[in-house]
Amino acid sequence: MIKDFNKPRPEGFRTGDRVWPSDLGRKRQAGPHMSFQVGEQHSHLNQANINTRAVHCGQYDDPLTGAVGTPIFQSSTFILNDESYDAIDEGRAREHFIYSRYGNPSQWSVQEKLASLEKAQSAMVFSSGMAAITSSVMSLMESGAHLITSRDIYGGTYHFFHEDLEQYGMNVSFVDLTDIEAIEAAITDKTKVLFFEAITNPLLKIAPIKDIVKLAKKYKLRTIIDATFASPMNLNALELGVDVVVHSASKYLNGHSDLIAGVAAGSRKLMDPIWGQMLKFGGSLDPHACFLLERGLKTFGLRLKAHNENAQALAEFLEQRDEIVKVYYPGLPSHPQHEMAKDILDGFSGMVSFEIKGGDKASALLTKTLKLPRLATSLGGVESLISLPHNTSQAALMKSQLREIGINDGLVRLSVGVEDIEDIKNDFIQAFEQLRTQGVLK
Ligand SMILES: *Cc1c(COP(=O)(O)O)cnc(C)c1O
């Protein structure tokens, strides 16, 4: 098709410019949504509750065949027409199908569902949680800029901050995220971004998000919260004033331990440049993976309700047992931030950590004697997963460093699945008996 160069341009369009979405003069719309292409609106769902939104939002029913559910649009490229050229010229490339790294209907569908769960103007899927984190951070940082975070963040994120940001001429401070005064004291005139995990691994500390947002407003900083452990069921970070929320969708969002994916969500104003950063880093999500993620998300509300309930019940059960030294769970009154957790969170997630008597020897044997939880890293799947932080997520640390961040001998991390809670408890009871018989619980 021939491009019509004489067509009138929308307001804000500067003739002769190649505009990126980040410097558009026009008003930003939520999305991108499939309705941009087919005119169908999902706005009636905006007021719906979480299960309804998880099932219906973003779903694209094929108008040609009537097939229910978003098809897998397994194509790398799309037929060009005048609309595509205009979209490129007018900086609307994010709103038109051109090439699948830029956007694909399977991505848009699941993104709309995720945006709805996060109550975000716009959401983006990535090929991994790390792709979401690196693209989001790099789009908000610049050479010479400073970022504040905590030491007990996800290992991949820590290595990216510690090794790469410094190489790009940026600076990072690691502070105790439970100490808001320490966070404020770390702010300099170069600080741009506060990056924290809503619930940390493996000690399940809670980020004081309301205070962090206040600091960000006071000093004009951007906040990024990794809400992987909380999930949008338990935390609406954007409603609390956070700028960008990121997730490893490999965990609770997908929920079936069969996919690697990431998500970032926030205002269109911030998500458009993050999209531009993703185009360069290249971490876009494959259409088949989008289908799996969208399918997993349909039961998101049901799964998370079961994870929350099971974890609360198991945490209470473990806290009563003689074999256990200490249980870490924000839903327990014994958690040092329980009151704040109740204020920020709506449910305390499916992650429970605990220290067993008998130290690392007993914890190692426990993982072998339990029959239900799979011994594997990762979390948030329907099946319970168990791991030992000292030889998985924190394996790079020396014993003294482990103690420094509060990881004691015998610490076990459990991602409580959606199995029947009585079966999980009975499994622990039989395992404790075996450990007693073997005399390791000292
Ligand atoms: C797993 C995880 C990540 C990394 O996500 P991937 O999907 O593995 O890239 C980031 N942050 C947290 C808190 C995680 O648990």
Side-chain angles (χ1 to χ4, degrees):
M1 282 188 209
I2 311 290
K3 190 171 152 32
D4 177 8
F5 284 99
N6 297 318
K7 251 179 70 173
R9 300 297 183 203
E11 215 179 311
F13 180 79
R14 292 163 303 187
T15 330
D17 278 0
R18 256 300 140 93
V19 245
W20 276 111
S22 47
D23 36 55
L24 273 183
R26 70 189 159 79
K27 193 170 175 301
R28 286 167 204 280
Q29 270 185 286
H33 291 163
M34 209 75 100
S35 54
F36 290 8
Q37 303 284 312
V38 296
E40 195 195 338
Q41 296 284 346
H42 290 283
S43 50
H44 66 284
L45 292 169
N46 289 347
Q47 305 307 319
N49 293 304
I50 194 155
N51 288 307
T52 310
R53 282 185 283 128
V55 172
H56 289 286
C57 278
Q59 176 161 308
Y60 174 77
D61 303 323
D62 176 37
L64 198 59
T65 61
V68 172
T70 313
I72 304 171
F73 289 90
Q74 197 71 46
S75 52
S76 61
T77 191
F78 299 84
I79 292 168
L80 293 167
N81 55 27
D82 273 1
E83 224 332 272
S84 340
Y85 297 123
D86 286 351
I88 297 168
D89 268 1
E90 294 159 12
R92 288 186 293 108
R94 199 181 162 210
E95 290 172 13
H96 203 82
F97 300 126
I98 295 165
Y99 181 64
S100 278
R101 177 159 42 79
Y102 288 57
N104 172 293
S106 295
Q107 292 170 355
W108 283 23
S109 267
V110 68
Q111 285 175 174
E112 190 173 346
K113 199 183 284 300
L114 288 159
S116 145
L117 294 177
E118 282 293 3
K119 302 187 179 160
Q121 239 182 3
S122 184
M124 271 186 63
V125 287
F126 295 82
S127 54
S128 68
M130 283 312 300
I133 291 167
T134 50
S135 292
S136 302
V137 169
M138 290 309 278
S139 105
L140 295 182
M141 291 285 283
E142 62 198 22
S143 181
H146 174 240
L147 175 145
I148 302 175
T149 187
S150 75
R151 177 60 194 84
D152 42 7
I153 48 173
Y154 180 74
T157 314
Y158 173 77
H159 294 305
F160 168 59
F161 288 164
H162 180 65
E163 291 161 17
D164 294 26
L165 286 195
E166 300 277 342
Q167 280 199 11
Y168 301 142
M170 303 168 188
N171 294 295
V172 185
S173 295
F174 296 95
V175 298
D176 174 0
L177 92 162
T178 63
D179 184 351
I180 194 72
E181 281 160 21
I183 299 176
E184 183 162 18
I187 296 172
T188 72
D189 56 357
K190 298 273 191 251
T191 308
K192 280 253 159 182
V193 173
L194 306 178
F195 181 106
F196 293 103
E197 291 179 5
I199 306 180
T200 69
N201 172 44
L203 297 178
L204 312 175
K205 295 179 200 163
I206 309 295
I209 295 181
K210 288 186 175 176
D211 293 336
I212 289 171
V213 165
K214 270 189 215 147
L215 278 189
K217 296 227 152 79
K218 182 170 163 193
Y219 294 95
K220 298 196 168 34
L221 313 174
R222 294 293 187 193
T223 45
I224 306 179
I225 293 289
D226 179 338
T228 301
F229 275 44
S231 91
M233 177 73 161
N234 299 322
L235 173 70
N236 261 136
L238 300 174
E239 279 191 332
L240 295 181
V242 165
D243 290 308
V244 178
V245 58
V246 292
H247 290 274
S248 167
S250 325
K251 318 291 169 53
Y252 283 115
L253 291 173
N254 178 59
H256 293 75
S257 306
D258 54 6
L259 174 70
I260 299 291
V263 181
S267 67
R268 188 75 200 262
K269 184 174 171 214
L270 292 178
M271 293 312 296
D272 281 353
I274 291 173
W275 173 79
Q277 193 69 48
M278 182 277 292
L279 293 186
K280 291 178 275 182
F281 282 179
S284 77
L285 190 63
D286 173 78
H288 188 258
C290 292
F291 161 77
L292 285 172
L293 179 55
E294 189 183 343
R295 178 176 148 138
L297 279 168
K298 289 180 189 179
T299 54
F300 172 74
L302 297 175
R303 286 188 285 105
L304 265 290
K305 184 169 181 286
H307 285 298
N308 285 345
E309 287 173 5
N310 278 358
Q312 181 75 39
L314 191 72
E316 287 168 9
F317 164 80
L318 290 173
E319 200 167 48
Q320 299 304 317
R321 296 290 304 197
D322 289 345
E323 297 86 352
I324 301 299
V325 182
K326 186 168 179 183
V327 180
Y328 299 84
Y329 187 67
L332 291 176
S334 60
H335 188 287
Q337 296 169 298
H338 179 61
E339 288 307 316
M340 192 180 64
K342 280 199 293 190
D343 180 39
I344 294 180
L345 303 174
D346 191 8
F348 304 102
S349 107
M351 298 302 294
V352 178
S353 294
F354 59 88
E355 282 160 31
I356 188 165
K357 281 184 189 163
D360 290 343
K361 196 171 162 217
S363 62
L365 196 59
L366 179 74
T367 62
K368 295 196 184 95
T369 43
L370 283 169
K371 292 178 178 150
L372 277 180
R374 306 287 87 204
L375 176 55
T377 187
S378 196
L379 61 121
V382 286
E383 61 289 282
S384 293
L385 296 176
I386 196 164
S387 64
L388 304 177
H390 79 87
N391 64 17
T392 50
S393 51
Q394 270 79 16
L397 301 185
M398 294 180 304
K399 223 169 187 143
S400 60
Q401 290 173 309
L402 288 172
R403 298 293 169 269
E404 231 168 76
I405 59 171
I407 298 178
N408 295 327
D409 258 355
L411 186 73
V412 178
R413 185 187 94 171
L414 185 67
S415 169
V416 185
V418 303
E419 301 96 340
D420 291 298
I421 185 63
E422 286 313 315
D423 295 331
I424 303 175
K425 281 189 198 168
N426 286 336
D427 195 19
F428 269 92
I429 291 170
Q430 69 77 24
F432 288 150
E433 266 165 30
Q434 281 206 46
L435 262 58
R436 261 184 207 295
T437 318
Q438 303 206 21
V440 294
L441 287 172
K442 281 187 292 292

